[in-house]
Amino acid sequence: MLDLSTKRILVTGGAGFLGKQVVAQLVEAGAQEEKITVPRSRDYDLRDLEACQKAARNQNIIIHLAAHVGGIGLNQEKPAELFYDNLMMGTQLIHSAYQAGVEKFVCIGTICAYPKFTPVPFQEDNLWEGYPEETNAPYGVAKKALLVQLQSYRQQYDFNGIYLLPVNLYGPEDNFDPNSSHVIPALIRKVHEAQQRGDKTLPAWGDGSPTREFLYSTDAARGIVMATQGYNEPEPVNLGTNSEISIRDLVELICELMGFEGEIVWQTDKPNGQPRRCLDTSRAKKAFDFEAQVDFKQGLKNTIEWYRQQAT
């Protein structure tokens, strides 16, 4: 088990939704807060090699959470930006970390890297058995390239980089911007605004048939810190709950928890995204004893309550 108490740790994206939780969990696991650095994008544009070199200097551990990311809408609107930004940030930071003699690099991948038709539950060994779902493939491929980089740097330079694949995250402080948010925050905001207007109907994208799996942000952060301390292998590792819910059931559950009694109108001309998503989480359990703890319904209640407090 890696002792974090003496380590200088860089957490890219550390001021964000997941990043704040990771920093808190690092401190809980023994890291010293004054030795944790959170580079801000205004000071460090990680698409720039010099910024990556500056950020990596004198660090023992780098946890790379920073990403340009969003839901189906953003993926359709800006596929080139999502590919370029995520590839350049990751590949240059990994190279800079290797050059700077960083002891360990923890890279956060994406569930979008999996093939469109992956056998459910997704196993890490399925990662290369097809092309990702088209609407988020540029983002998914860019992030998946970082796994190849880490494995090749381990092989050639003995560089200790690990790669984690968290499923869709949710929780308080998520991104609720309608132009770039993922499904849970987007739905919570949509229902809240419909209630404010007194609407009798709620439009929802697709036909409701796809399934998704969701991991609460504190669970994800705990898994990342556990892997930072106790996992040192080249194989990627899923972080999830190993349970799925259909989008139809999700929309109905959020409406129920928020007290919306109107009719849900499915916009079948809109894209569904990947048909099913559910992870096999046995490798994380076996490798560093990670299991999700937060009940989904409770996690949704916490998220809804936080959003309503911000929205008033």
Side-chain angles (χ1 to χ4, degrees):
M1 186 70 74
L2 186 63
D3 177 10
L4 300 177
S5 63
T6 61
K7 304 299 183 188
R8 292 182 301 277
I9 306 171
L10 181 83
V11 184
T12 72
F17 160 55
L18 175 59
K20 286 178 185 173
Q21 303 285 355
V22 169
V23 169
Q25 297 274 348
L26 283 167
V27 172
E28 202 168 301
Q32 295 180 38
E33 205 159 351
E34 63 273 15
K35 291 189 174 180
I36 299 172
T37 303
V38 175
R40 303 307 299 263
S41 55
R42 61 177 175 267
D43 303 317
Y44 294 86
D45 181 346
L46 296 177
R47 294 169 300 182
D48 176 68
L49 179 59
E50 283 184 14
C52 289
Q53 290 168 334
K54 184 179 162 191
R57 204 169 292 139
N58 299 320
Q59 299 296 336
N60 302 121
I61 299 169
I62 293 179
I63 301 176
H64 180 45
L65 304 171
H68 185 179
V69 64
I72 290 178
L74 185 72
N75 277 275
Q76 288 187 311
E77 186 189 341
K78 296 185 173 178
E81 281 182 37
L82 290 170
F83 180 82
Y84 180 84
D85 290 354
N86 287 291
L87 184 67
M88 297 314 287
M89 281 195 289
T91 197
Q92 296 188 131
L93 190 61
I94 291 168
H95 190 68
S96 299
Y98 153 66
Q99 288 184 315
V102 170
E103 292 171 30
K104 186 164 188 177
F105 194 101
V106 181
C107 188
I108 308 307
T110 174
I111 204 69
C112 302
Y114 273 102
K116 180 175 182 176
F117 297 105
T118 306
V120 178
F122 295 8
Q123 293 183 337
E124 294 90 346
D125 296 342
N126 302 136
L127 206 50
W128 296 101
E129 291 174 3
Y131 195 69
E133 203 278 323
E134 294 82 3
T135 53
N136 51 38
Y139 171 67
V141 170
K143 295 289 275 187
K144 190 153 65 164
L146 305 180
L147 170 61
V148 178
Q149 185 179 5
L150 288 171
Q151 290 176 333
S152 57
Y153 277 47
R154 180 184 290 271
Q155 184 182 337
Q156 186 172 341
Y157 305 133
D158 200 27
F159 181 66
N160 186 14
I162 65 168
Y163 190 89
L164 306 174
L165 289 152
V167 78
N168 298 54
L169 304 180
Y170 75 105
E173 298 191 64
D174 202 343
N175 169 26
F176 287 84
D177 180 335
N179 297 314
S180 57
S181 57
H182 285 105
V183 61
I184 286 179
L187 284 170
I188 290 171
R189 179 171 180 150
K190 192 182 272 192
V191 172
H192 177 79
E193 291 179 349
Q195 288 175 311
Q196 299 299 104
R197 292 189 300 264
D199 293 355
K200 301 292 182 222
T201 59
L202 183 81
W205 274 32
D207 62 12
S209 65
T211 67
R212 292 292 179 266
E213 176 180 342
F214 299 98
L215 183 63
Y216 196 62
S217 54
T218 53
D219 272 337
R222 194 169 48 81
I224 289 165
V225 173
M226 289 171 79
T228 301
Q229 289 184 285
Y231 186 67
N232 299 292
E233 302 301 324
E235 291 81 21
V237 184
N238 289 334
L239 295 179
T241 61
N242 192 223
S243 61
E244 60 187 319
I245 183 171
S246 73
I247 297 297
R248 181 177 295 275
D249 288 346
L250 175 66
V251 174
E252 289 172 358
L253 178 57
I254 289 174
C255 287
E256 176 196 321
L257 292 174
M258 296 183 73
F260 179 77
E261 295 175 353
E263 182 192 354
I264 300 162
V265 179
W266 293 98
Q267 298 175 301
T268 52
D269 59 323
K270 301 286 189 186
N272 269 330
Q274 194 162 21
R276 286 181 74 188
R277 276 189 194 164
C278 181
L279 298 185
D280 181 324
T281 55
S282 56
R283 184 177 287 177
K285 171 66 177 162
K286 187 178 177 185
F288 46 93
D289 203 29
F290 171 73
E291 283 183 300
Q293 294 174 346
V294 179
D295 171 74
F296 184 54
K297 204 167 184 178
Q298 186 58 52
L300 281 179
K301 285 178 182 174
N302 298 348
T303 310
I304 290 164
E305 185 182 341
W306 182 87
Y307 177 72
R308 281 179 163 160
Q309 286 173 352
Q310 307 306 308
T312 50

